[in-house]
Amino acid sequence: MPAHEYGDAELEDLRRRTLLRSAVGLALGISVFGGAAQAAAAPIRRDDEHVRGRSGGTEDLGQMVADIQQLIAKSWPVGEKVWPGTKMAEQYLILVSERQAWELTVNGVTPLDRAEVDALAPEYSWMYFFTSWKDSRATVIDLEQTKGDDWEAEHVPLPVPGPESNFDLGTHEFFHDFQTQQGWRPPREEEVLRYPLEPEWPLYRALVYDALRKALTDHERREEHLAAAAYWHRKWDDRFGADNWLRTPDVHEGTAQFFSTQMLAAARATNPSNDDERWARSLSLTYDWSPKVHPAFLWSKNSSYILGAVAGTLLEMGGGSWREGATTKDTLTDLLLTGCPAIDVGACWPGSSAGG
């Protein structure tokens, strides 16, 4: 299938939805800025704060804490392989609930005095925060704040179980703290979405995502799917790149989502150190294209998360020293598709017959 025809039919509904939402925004005189854009969209990313931290509220807290520690013990030692320098085996996750507190590491669970944790907490209301702890860093999560059942059943992805949700929240947010501690300096565009919203704006990104997801699952046609992704990525960049307010979340959230996805995949693996098994497990944490995924590409930065998860997985599978580029200005999609010809499909994957 020629790259310029890739996925047009199955994504026509997205074009229609974009035009409809843009028209509604104009009719109501709505200007969407930054966080307001995030709130306006239907959140579908797997690690949305209303989903990834969901504990359900009915599980025994002691058992949940023990289950989260088992996930940590199984997966965090692999973190250095997924992103060198994270030193996950030396990190701490602190959980609090009402008057209780626990310190979790790869080695086990230690009860804490809740007052000791509260003394480090910020003055504002929080679900999680970061702090220096002993000889390293800790991500602190309030389990009372991660409860809730406000997820709408028609949205995807569906929440993962409570222990995995809180593990995923802690791992994802740890990576953001790691970014800060390492002095990452991604570009800081003003997060403003202007109306009217052209249908090609989310459509091209959706086509990139669809092609990258297929590159993960359809090994025999991987180069073709990567070529299609490169085609749509360049069309988007040529048309909207100069006004790309998504570059900052693409860098910051895309890399964090890739990391947390691989950590959760490692936790689910029989052998977390087996890269092939981990990558295969991570497929269940990304999503085939369907109309239910459309909201991720409308109005908000949700698409940054799921694009980062698939692009990062493909980069890691391909090998090479690509991570340093993500700490400055390049998105994972940029790093994957730069130099990948949209026509010469054989040059898009390391080891292919056409080079690359």
Side-chain angles (χ1 to χ4, degrees), residues 10 13 48 65 88 150 157 202 302-303 317 319 323:
E10 64 184 336
D13 185 53
D48 183 272
V65 170
M88 292 298 289
D150 56 358
N302 282 321
S303 57
M317 292 170 69
R323 292 170 178 83

Side-chain angles (χ1 to χ4, degrees), residues 199-267:
E200 289 78 13
W201 190 88
L203 177 64
Y204 291 167
R205 282 173 67 90
L207 284 161
V208 171
Y209 174 79
D210 185 44
L212 293 182
R213 181 61 169 72
K214 287 175 178 174
L216 280 173
T217 58
D218 185 0
H219 297 177
E220 292 183 0
R221 298 175 59 199
R222 177 169 284 160
E223 289 112 350
E224 179 182 341
H225 296 309
L226 286 171
Y231 175 86
W232 292 113
H233 181 60
R234 288 170 195 167
K235 282 185 71 72
W236 194 92
D237 197 53
D238 288 345
R239 185 161 180 177
F240 305 108
D243 192 31
N244 180 13
W245 66 272
L246 283 172
R247 181 163 292 277
T248 293
D250 278 356
V251 172
H252 245 113
E253 299 296 354
T255 52
Q257 183 70 2
F258 156 68
F259 184 79
S260 61
T261 296
Q262 292 304 317
M263 288 293 92
L264 184 52

Side-chain angles (χ1 to χ4, degrees), residues 115-129:
E116 182 181 5
V117 180
D118 288 342
L120 301 171
E123 295 181 358
Y124 53 80
S125 176
W126 54 273
M127 177 187 291
Y128 56 84
F129 67 91

